[in-house]
Amino acid sequence: MPIDPKVALGAALPELEFAWTPSDVQLYHLGLGAGARWTDTGELRYLDDRAPQVLPTFATVAPTLGVTEPPKVSFPGVEIDLAKVVHGSQEVVAHKPIPATGKAKSTGRISEIWDKGSAAVVVQETTVTDSDGDPLWTARSSIFAKGEGGFGGERGPSNKSELPDRAPDFDVTTPTLPQQALLYRMCGDRNPLHSDPGFARAAGFPNPILHGLCTYGLVCKNAVDTVLNSDAARVTGFRARFAGVLYPGETIRSRIWLEGNELTIAATVVNREDAPVLGDVKLTFTA
């Protein structure tokens, strides 16, 4: 049985110690397209050699920097073929700005398992602390495993939210590069779905797709640049549901609504009649 909920639910994930440098931060930001405005002062804050500001979405790659093997979906009570898996959702809560240089430790657990009938959803929660033991960030992510449902578990909640019933306060389009996935994978996500045309076709896609977490980080950066004057340190949380795919070279449209200290965002693909790519997107920030 690929999923044994009695074993998996609540199971602890391996503790992991990791570190990063300003060069790692720069590479991550370049993977999101930073530097397109190469003379803009705000843009260059992401690429400073000594102390680049750090988008909170860097938390999604920091533990796997330097990894060169494809990831495995192997946890206590969970063994799933990578080709069946897509990212379902991602949330990062930043307890303080992430430093440009750091050492950290992550601890986590499998917090939820849902049976969607034709698929399964596995949710992980991890807490990351710095070298002094102070909390840096908390991450929550889910994976959607096609064909792995039907094990008799609960279906789980539906968290879909509605967009505001008015015109967005900001409407931004951002092109991606044809080589965007090949660059982003250097941050440690070597899933061949994003680089190997044969693997992508076997998984049901006509071509390799952009990493969902690349789209996730890119949309966060768009919002920070558009609404927060390129000040990443103001972001306290960012979450999204992966609602569709983006192919390298396509253009993302971000419609952004501002309410108090929260942004609601709809991210779509301009090239395919605004097909959704991220849904239920929320960014929280300090004043």
Side-chain angles (χ1 to χ4, degrees), residues 10-16 76 105-111 123-128 138-139:
L13 302 174
E15 290 189 1
L16 181 65
K105 180 174 74 173
S106 72
T107 57
R109 65 189 180 96
I110 298 176
S111 60
V123 182
Q124 301 176 58
E125 291 185 0
T126 58
T127 299
V128 174
T138 299

PDB file of all heavy atoms in Angstrom, residues 10-16 76 105-111 123-128 138-139:
ATOM      1  N   GLY A  10       0.752  12.110  11.518  1.00  0.00           N
ATOM      2  CA  GLY A  10       1.457  12.539  12.716  1.00  0.00           C
ATOM      3  C   GLY A  10       2.903  12.100  12.774  1.00  0.00           C
ATOM      4  O   GLY A  10       3.619  12.465  13.717  1.00  0.00           O
ATOM      5  N   ALA A  11       3.344  11.323  11.785  1.00  0.00           N
ATOM      6  CA  ALA A  11       4.722  10.826  11.808  1.00  0.00           C
ATOM      7  C   ALA A  11       5.717  11.971  11.704  1.00  0.00           C
ATOM      8  O   ALA A  11       5.525  12.936  10.948  1.00  0.00           O
ATOM      9  CB  ALA A  11       4.942   9.842  10.659  1.00  0.00           C
ATOM     10  N   ALA A  12       6.796  11.864  12.473  1.00  0.00           N
ATOM     11  CA  ALA A  12       7.837  12.886  12.444  1.00  0.00           C
ATOM     12  C   ALA A  12       8.666  12.748  11.170  1.00  0.00           C
ATOM     13  O   ALA A  12       8.966  11.638  10.714  1.00  0.00           O
ATOM     14  CB  ALA A  12       8.732  12.762  13.666  1.00  0.00           C
ATOM     15  N   LEU A  13       9.034  13.876  10.597  1.00  0.00           N
ATOM     16  CA  LEU A  13       9.934  13.904   9.453  1.00  0.00           C
ATOM     17  C   LEU A  13      11.365  14.021   9.964  1.00  0.00           C
ATOM     18  O   LEU A  13      11.602  14.544  11.061  1.00  0.00           O
ATOM     19  CB  LEU A  13       9.589  15.080   8.549  1.00  0.00           C
ATOM     20  CG  LEU A  13       8.159  15.095   8.004  1.00  0.00           C
ATOM     21  CD1 LEU A  13       7.889  16.392   7.250  1.00  0.00           C
ATOM     22  CD2 LEU A  13       7.917  13.893   7.096  1.00  0.00           C
ATOM     23  N   PRO A  14      12.340  13.559   9.204  1.00  0.00           N
ATOM     24  CA  PRO A  14      13.729  13.635   9.667  1.00  0.00           C
ATOM     25  C   PRO A  14      14.149  15.079   9.941  1.00  0.00           C
ATOM     26  O   PRO A  14      13.831  15.984   9.160  1.00  0.00           O
ATOM     27  CB  PRO A  14      14.521  13.035   8.505  1.00  0.00           C
ATOM     28  CG  PRO A  14      13.542  12.193   7.754  1.00  0.00           C
ATOM     29  CD  PRO A  14      12.221  12.879   7.895  1.00  0.00           C
ATOM     30  N   GLU A  15      14.864  15.281  11.057  1.00  0.00           N
ATOM     31  CA  GLU A  15      15.440  16.606  11.312  1.00  0.00           C
ATOM     32  C   GLU A  15      16.524  16.879  10.274  1.00  0.00           C
ATOM     33  O   GLU A  15      17.218  15.973   9.826  1.00  0.00           O
ATOM     34  CB  GLU A  15      16.031  16.672  12.722  1.00  0.00           C
ATOM     35  CG  GLU A  15      14.990  16.656  13.817  1.00  0.00           C
ATOM     36  CD  GLU A  15      15.603  16.943  15.184  1.00  0.00           C
ATOM     37  OE1 GLU A  15      16.838  17.167  15.256  1.00  0.00           O
ATOM     38  OE2 GLU A  15      14.853  16.937  16.171  1.00  0.00           O
ATOM     39  N   LEU A  16      16.637  18.132   9.912  1.00  0.00           N
ATOM     40  CA  LEU A  16      17.595  18.505   8.878  1.00  0.00           C
ATOM     41  C   LEU A  16      18.316  19.784   9.293  1.00  0.00           C
ATOM     42  O   LEU A  16      17.676  20.757   9.692  1.00  0.00           O
ATOM     43  CB  LEU A  16      16.870  18.725   7.545  1.00  0.00           C
ATOM     44  CG  LEU A  16      17.720  19.098   6.334  1.00  0.00           C
ATOM     45  CD1 LEU A  16      18.660  17.956   5.976  1.00  0.00           C
ATOM     46  CD2 LEU A  16      16.822  19.438   5.143  1.00  0.00           C
ATOM     47  N   PRO A  76       7.416   8.092   6.361  1.00  0.00           N
ATOM     48  CA  PRO A  76       6.807   6.984   7.106  1.00  0.00           C
ATOM     49  C   PRO A  76       5.362   6.747   6.653  1.00  0.00           C
ATOM     50  O   PRO A  76       4.535   7.651   6.695  1.00  0.00           O
ATOM     51  CB  PRO A  76       6.854   7.469   8.559  1.00  0.00           C
ATOM     52  CG  PRO A  76       8.007   8.414   8.602  1.00  0.00           C
ATOM     53  CD  PRO A  76       7.997   9.103   7.271  1.00  0.00           C
ATOM     54  N   LYS A 105      17.889  24.665  11.497  1.00  0.00           N
ATOM     55  CA  LYS A 105      17.464  23.273  11.672  1.00  0.00           C
ATOM     56  C   LYS A 105      15.958  23.207  11.485  1.00  0.00           C
ATOM     57  O   LYS A 105      15.224  24.058  11.994  1.00  0.00           O
ATOM     58  CB  LYS A 105      17.845  22.770  13.059  1.00  0.00           C
ATOM     59  CG  LYS A 105      17.435  21.316  13.306  1.00  0.00           C
ATOM     60  CD  LYS A 105      17.957  20.792  14.634  1.00  0.00           C
ATOM     61  CE  LYS A 105      17.212  21.357  15.807  1.00  0.00           C
ATOM     62  NZ  LYS A 105      17.611  20.710  17.088  1.00  0.00           N
ATOM     63  N   SER A 106      15.512  22.197  10.772  1.00  0.00           N
ATOM     64  CA  SER A 106      14.078  22.018  10.551  1.00  0.00           C
ATOM     65  C   SER A 106      13.600  20.740  11.224  1.00  0.00           C
ATOM     66  O   SER A 106      14.296  19.723  11.252  1.00  0.00           O
ATOM     67  CB  SER A 106      13.750  21.960   9.061  1.00  0.00           C
ATOM     68  OG  SER A 106      14.195  20.754   8.487  1.00  0.00           O
ATOM     69  N   THR A 107      12.409  20.828  11.812  1.00  0.00           N
ATOM     70  CA  THR A 107      11.714  19.663  12.344  1.00  0.00           C
ATOM     71  C   THR A 107      10.304  19.692  11.779  1.00  0.00           C
ATOM     72  O   THR A 107       9.748  20.769  11.517  1.00  0.00           O
ATOM     73  CB  THR A 107      11.650  19.680  13.881  1.00  0.00           C
ATOM     74  OG1 THR A 107      11.011  20.893  14.316  1.00  0.00           O
ATOM     75  CG2 THR A 107      13.044  19.612  14.486  1.00  0.00           C
ATOM     76  N   GLY A 108       9.718  18.543  11.567  1.00  0.00           N
ATOM     77  CA  GLY A 108       8.399  18.549  10.957  1.00  0.00           C
ATOM     78  C   GLY A 108       7.652  17.251  11.163  1.00  0.00           C
ATOM     79  O   GLY A 108       8.156  16.297  11.758  1.00  0.00           O
ATOM     80  N   ARG A 109       6.432  17.235  10.631  1.00  0.00           N
ATOM     81  CA  ARG A 109       5.585  16.056  10.752  1.00  0.00           C
ATOM     82  C   ARG A 109       4.582  16.042   9.609  1.00  0.00           C
ATOM     83  O   ARG A 109       4.355  17.067   8.944  1.00  0.00           O
ATOM     84  CB  ARG A 109       4.822  16.080  12.081  1.00  0.00           C
ATOM     85  CG  ARG A 109       3.833  17.228  12.207  1.00  0.00           C
ATOM     86  CD  ARG A 109       3.250  17.355  13.590  1.00  0.00           C
ATOM     87  NE  ARG A 109       2.317  18.471  13.675  1.00  0.00           N
ATOM     88  CZ  ARG A 109       0.997  18.361  13.542  1.00  0.00           C
ATOM     89  NH1 ARG A 109       0.453  17.172  13.333  1.00  0.00           N
ATOM     90  NH2 ARG A 109       0.215  19.409  13.634  1.00  0.00           N
ATOM     91  N   ILE A 110       4.016  14.883   9.362  1.00  0.00           N
ATOM     92  CA  ILE A 110       2.898  14.766   8.434  1.00  0.00           C
ATOM     93  C   ILE A 110       1.643  15.098   9.227  1.00  0.00           C
ATOM     94  O   ILE A 110       1.256  14.364  10.137  1.00  0.00           O
ATOM     95  CB  ILE A 110       2.820  13.357   7.824  1.00  0.00           C
ATOM     96  CG1 ILE A 110       4.087  13.063   7.017  1.00  0.00           C
ATOM     97  CG2 ILE A 110       1.581  13.232   6.933  1.00  0.00           C
ATOM     98  CD1 ILE A 110       4.148  11.666   6.451  1.00  0.00           C
ATOM     99  N   SER A 111       1.035  16.220   8.914  1.00  0.00           N
ATOM    100  CA  SER A 111      -0.059  16.728   9.753  1.00  0.00           C
ATOM    101  C   SER A 111      -1.441  16.310   9.281  1.00  0.00           C
ATOM    102  O   SER A 111      -2.381  16.241  10.078  1.00  0.00           O
ATOM    103  CB  SER A 111       0.012  18.256   9.835  1.00  0.00           C
ATOM    104  OG  SER A 111      -0.105  18.829   8.539  1.00  0.00           O
ATOM    105  N   VAL A 123      -0.204  16.369   3.676  1.00  0.00           N
ATOM    106  CA  VAL A 123       0.189  17.702   4.156  1.00  0.00           C
ATOM    107  C   VAL A 123       1.339  17.564   5.159  1.00  0.00           C
ATOM    108  O   VAL A 123       1.274  16.759   6.089  1.00  0.00           O
ATOM    109  CB  VAL A 123      -1.006  18.417   4.824  1.00  0.00           C
ATOM    110  CG1 VAL A 123      -0.601  19.820   5.286  1.00  0.00           C
ATOM    111  CG2 VAL A 123      -2.190  18.486   3.864  1.00  0.00           C
ATOM    112  N   GLN A 124       2.369  18.374   4.950  1.00  0.00           N
ATOM    113  CA  GLN A 124       3.508  18.417   5.862  1.00  0.00           C
ATOM    114  C   GLN A 124       3.596  19.789   6.518  1.00  0.00           C
ATOM    115  O   GLN A 124       3.307  20.807   5.873  1.00  0.00           O
ATOM    116  CB  GLN A 124       4.818  18.186   5.118  1.00  0.00           C
ATOM    117  CG  GLN A 124       4.944  16.889   4.385  1.00  0.00           C
ATOM    118  CD  GLN A 124       6.260  16.852   3.625  1.00  0.00           C
ATOM    119  OE1 GLN A 124       7.339  16.981   4.194  1.00  0.00           O
ATOM    120  NE2 GLN A 124       6.165  16.684   2.311  1.00  0.00           N
ATOM    121  N   GLU A 125       4.023  19.832   7.766  1.00  0.00           N
ATOM    122  CA  GLU A 125       4.326  21.077   8.462  1.00  0.00           C
ATOM    123  C   GLU A 125       5.744  21.002   8.998  1.00  0.00           C
ATOM    124  O   GLU A 125       6.126  19.999   9.607  1.00  0.00           O
ATOM    125  CB  GLU A 125       3.352  21.316   9.616  1.00  0.00           C
ATOM    126  CG  GLU A 125       1.936  21.638   9.194  1.00  0.00           C
ATOM    127  CD  GLU A 125       1.037  21.977  10.379  1.00  0.00           C
ATOM    128  OE1 GLU A 125       1.531  21.954  11.525  1.00  0.00           O
ATOM    129  OE2 GLU A 125      -0.151  22.253  10.149  1.00  0.00           O
ATOM    130  N   THR A 126       6.527  22.041   8.764  1.00  0.00           N
ATOM    131  CA  THR A 126       7.888  22.088   9.279  1.00  0.00           C
ATOM    132  C   THR A 126       8.132  23.421   9.969  1.00  0.00           C
ATOM    133  O   THR A 126       7.615  24.462   9.549  1.00  0.00           O
ATOM    134  CB  THR A 126       8.943  21.908   8.169  1.00  0.00           C
ATOM    135  OG1 THR A 126       8.759  22.930   7.174  1.00  0.00           O
ATOM    136  CG2 THR A 126       8.810  20.555   7.507  1.00  0.00           C
ATOM    137  N   THR A 127       8.905  23.367  11.039  1.00  0.00           N
ATOM    138  CA  THR A 127       9.325  24.565  11.766  1.00  0.00           C
ATOM    139  C   THR A 127      10.836  24.674  11.664  1.00  0.00           C
ATOM    140  O   THR A 127      11.549  23.683  11.859  1.00  0.00           O
ATOM    141  CB  THR A 127       8.907  24.482  13.243  1.00  0.00           C
ATOM    142  OG1 THR A 127       7.470  24.387  13.316  1.00  0.00           O
ATOM    143  CG2 THR A 127       9.368  25.719  14.007  1.00  0.00           C
ATOM    144  N   VAL A 128      11.306  25.866  11.349  1.00  0.00           N
ATOM    145  CA  VAL A 128      12.735  26.086  11.154  1.00  0.00           C
ATOM    146  C   VAL A 128      13.223  27.105  12.163  1.00  0.00           C
ATOM    147  O   VAL A 128      12.633  28.184  12.325  1.00  0.00           O
ATOM    148  CB  VAL A 128      13.021  26.571   9.719  1.00  0.00           C
ATOM    149  CG1 VAL A 128      14.491  26.947   9.551  1.00  0.00           C
ATOM    150  CG2 VAL A 128      12.638  25.481   8.714  1.00  0.00           C
ATOM    151  N   THR A 138       7.841  29.014   9.564  1.00  0.00           N
ATOM    152  CA  THR A 138       7.047  27.790   9.584  1.00  0.00           C
ATOM    153  C   THR A 138       6.511  27.585   8.176  1.00  0.00           C
ATOM    154  O   THR A 138       6.005  28.528   7.561  1.00  0.00           O
ATOM    155  CB  THR A 138       5.879  27.895  10.581  1.00  0.00           C
ATOM    156  OG1 THR A 138       6.397  28.109  11.893  1.00  0.00           O
ATOM    157  CG2 THR A 138       5.045  26.622  10.573  1.00  0.00           C
ATOM    158  N   ALA A 139       6.655  26.370   7.659  1.00  0.00           N
ATOM    159  CA  ALA A 139       6.194  26.065   6.309  1.00  0.00           C
ATOM    160  C   ALA A 139       5.147  24.966   6.367  1.00  0.00           C
ATOM    161  O   ALA A 139       5.240  24.034   7.171  1.00  0.00           O
ATOM    162  CB  ALA A 139       7.359  25.633   5.424  1.00  0.00           C
TER     163      ALA A 139
END
